[in-house]
Amino acid sequence: MSDSQRFPVAAHALAYLAHKGAYSAADAAPSAVLAASVPTNPVVIRRVTALLAKAGLIATRPGASGGSWLLRQPETIRLDEVLKAVNGCAHLGSTPAGAKGCPVGEHIPRQVAKALTAADQAAGAALAKITIADLLEADPVSLRDFAPHPACPSVAA
């Protein structure tokens, strides 16, 4: 799975667990069920849920009766935490090494790297205002001023 897909898959999985009321091992959602909702392969879900569990957002149990469940209420899980949990960033690219001896090539990579850091920090600040509970609402205040990103598939409301 590409790095750019971990965050959306993680947010989707957490929202699904909240929607289903999975707050204990007895209510755990199996990776196959989560995968069907995304839709993706259960292996992808297990990789993402392992990262979410390491971050303390969910718990998991392996095996035929296994699955994942939330350790916190969805109102308390901010999307910046989810992004950090899956080692994500704003994914604007990375700077190639500049050409030695070129005044632009030797200078620009460092400055572009700083610009990417600024964008990543801005994305984190924006995501800190949105929770998993917001994702489940039809028109949450935190997302009211935004339309779906044109590059992302969306379902008509």
Side-chain angles (χ1 to χ4, degrees):
M1 166 183 36
S2 71
D3 288 349
S4 64
Q5 290 301 302
R6 280 195 304 244
F7 172 71
V9 168
H12 187 121
L14 291 167
Y16 184 90
L17 293 172
H19 172 74
K20 288 299 187 179
Y23 296 102
S24 69
D27 302 317
S31 57
V33 170
L34 290 171
S37 177
V38 171
T40 191
N41 189 295
V43 172
V44 170
I45 294 296
R46 286 191 288 275
R47 288 179 185 152
V48 168
T49 55
L51 294 169
L52 295 171
K54 185 177 177 183
L57 299 174
I58 65 169
T60 62
R61 181 179 59 209
S65 63
S68 302
W69 63 94
L70 294 172
L71 293 175
R72 293 173 32 199
Q73 293 296 313
E75 298 82 13
T76 69
I77 302 173
R78 298 182 328 266
L79 294 189
D80 64 319
E81 296 177 279
V82 177
L83 184 67
K84 184 178 178 184
V86 297
N87 304 314
C89 65
H91 295 293
L92 297 175
S94 58
T95 58
K100 297 240 185 244
C102 173
V104 174
E106 289 182 348
H107 175 72
I108 294 301
R110 181 176 59 256
Q111 302 304 29
V112 170
K114 290 179 185 179
L116 291 174
T117 297
D120 193 49
Q121 289 175 355
L127 292 173
K129 299 174 185 174
I130 306 163
T131 67
I132 293 300
D134 292 334
L135 300 181
L136 294 170
E137 291 182 32
D139 189 25
V141 172
S142 62
L143 296 171
R144 193 163 289 151
D145 295 335
F146 303 97
H149 192 281
C152 297
S154 64
V155 178

